[in-house]
Amino acid sequence: MSFKIVADSSCDIIDEFREWDNFCSVPLTLQINDYIIQDDENFDQDDFIARMNANGGLAKSACPSPEAFREACEGDWDEVYIITITDKLSGSYNAALQGKLLYEEENNDDKKIYVFNSLATSGLETLAVLKIHELASDGMSFDQVCDEVDDYISNHEGLYFCLESLDALKSNGRLFALAAKVLEKIRVKLVCKRNAEGNISLAGQDLTNSRALVKMVSLIADEVKDKNLDGQRVYITHVCCPDKAEFVAEKLREKTNYKNIRIIKASGLNSLYASDGGIIVSYTF
């Protein structure tokens, strides 16, 4: 059975995806005042962050249209797997569901389409795409792939992040109330995580970024200390801070048994919300 994987652009793209002929990314739209771009393969992180910094660290995003997801379902495929950013942070998931319905209303075929809610963003979406590709390539049935990946997303993936600034999240209404209260009192560095519902929750805090990064690694190490990490992956996504990403990778090697640790650049959407100097750690267990 032939299959296609469709991800919105909150999925951080890795080289493998560019080599597949059955993968496509549906871009979100990014905006800084009158400057509007698509979050696609032409995204320039350094230029965008420079524009954000010149605008006080502020920018906005808009999710893809249902029509964009409908078009992504076109083609001679037996199965289409769509995955999006968590529905708690964007309308992309609902747009994908509507796009699926549009395709099915307009086409009388036997194509099977499923929309995954990644319950996250960034590297967790990337890791889920790899899992979909692995299972579908091995010949697993459509329903089994859907069940396995939904379980993988909910029970075998984790995400933490530590940002230099939470201004972009706060200005776009993506910041949870607890963090907003903390920020009103003192400018601390927060360690945040993806929770089971796909929301952001506060995991810890410290006075400096480097100490917060070490605390984040310790939290991850505690979570996976009793897990068999053979074959498991860690993706460290960064926004214009490869040295900081290397620091986190080194600490993870010291404190965990992860062997497959990879550093990647954030997509446009994740660059917007993580902002200059942001670090996102996505991992499987």
Side-chain angles (χ1 to χ4, degrees):
M1 303 289 280
S2 63
F3 68 92
K4 181 180 184 180
I5 302 174
V6 178
D8 68 6
S9 63
S10 72
C11 175
D12 293 321
I13 302 300
I14 56 176
D15 290 340
E16 289 94 316
F17 297 175
R18 298 184 178 94
E19 298 170 357
W20 299 343
D21 60 4
N22 61 343
F23 172 84
C24 79
S25 177
V26 177
L28 283 86
T29 302
L30 311 178
Q31 181 175 359
I32 304 172
N33 296 326
D34 295 332
Y35 176 71
I36 301 173
I37 59 169
Q38 295 296 298
D39 183 12
D40 56 21
E41 67 275 5
N42 298 312
F43 176 74
D44 183 330
Q45 186 184 79
D46 292 335
D47 177 73
F48 187 80
I49 291 301
R51 291 174 184 268
M52 271 190 70
N53 289 341
N55 192 47
L58 303 180
K60 298 188 294 184
S61 67
C63 69
S65 68
E67 179 64 19
F69 285 106
R70 185 203 65 77
E71 290 178 0
C73 293
E74 297 283 357
D76 189 21
W77 309 100
D78 299 308
E79 303 167 351
V80 177
Y81 301 97
I82 304 172
I83 185 164
T84 75
I85 185 174
T86 172
D87 63 336
K88 301 300 190 297
L89 297 181
S90 171
S92 188
Y93 176 69
N94 287 327
L97 290 175
Q98 293 174 42
K100 171 183 181 289
L101 291 176
L102 286 174
Y103 178 86
E104 291 170 343
E105 289 171 358
E106 296 175 10
N107 296 271
N108 184 23
D109 58 25
D110 296 325
K111 184 177 295 181
K112 297 178 180 179
I113 304 171
Y114 188 81
V115 181
F116 294 99
N117 180 354
S118 75
L119 300 176
T121 185
S122 191
L124 277 202
E125 199 169 328
T126 307
L127 289 163
V129 166
L130 288 170
K131 191 67 171 180
I132 295 167
H133 192 272
E134 172 193 333
L135 297 178
S137 296
D138 286 346
M140 184 175 285
S141 73
F142 180 80
D143 290 341
Q144 283 181 302
V145 171
C146 296
D147 290 343
E148 287 280 339
V149 175
D150 273 332
D151 177 70
Y152 185 74
I153 287 169
S154 297
N155 301 310
H156 300 282
E157 289 189 315
L159 180 148
Y160 279 82
F161 65 86
C162 185
L163 312 183
E164 286 284 356
S165 170
L166 292 169
D167 290 343
L169 282 172
K170 187 177 180 181
S171 67
N172 284 278
R174 267 58 172 189
L175 192 59
F176 50 97
L178 179 57
K181 290 178 181 178
V182 171
L183 287 173
E184 287 171 2
K185 296 180 179 179
I186 185 170
R187 297 295 293 186
V188 296
K189 300 302 179 184
L190 304 182
V191 178
C192 306
K193 67 179 293 185
R194 183 279 300 257
N195 63 27
E197 292 75 37
N199 256 320
I200 300 170
S201 61
L202 181 63
Q205 63 191 62
D206 218 311
L207 295 177
T208 68
N209 189 258
S210 59
R211 287 170 55 173
L213 290 174
V214 171
K215 180 168 289 186
M216 177 176 66
V217 170
S218 295
L219 289 168
I220 295 170
D222 286 343
E223 283 196 4
V224 302
K225 64 182 178 182
D226 296 323
K227 307 290 186 182
N228 180 359
L229 300 180
D230 290 345
Q232 302 298 333
R233 297 183 174 101
V234 178
Y235 283 175
I236 303 171
T237 301
H238 73 88
V239 183
C240 299
C241 57
D243 291 347
K244 193 183 294 184
E246 290 286 359
F247 172 80
V248 173
E250 179 183 345
K251 294 301 179 184
L252 278 167
R253 293 187 187 100
E254 291 175 2
K255 292 178 176 291
T256 73
N257 292 321
Y258 280 112
K259 301 295 188 294
N260 190 344
I261 299 176
R262 187 168 180 176
I263 294 172
I264 55 178
K265 272 190 171 185
S267 72
L269 182 76
N270 296 317
S271 295
L272 189 167
Y273 287 111
S275 301
D276 196 8
I279 289 287
I280 306 169
V281 181
S282 307
Y283 55 97
T284 64
F285 53 88

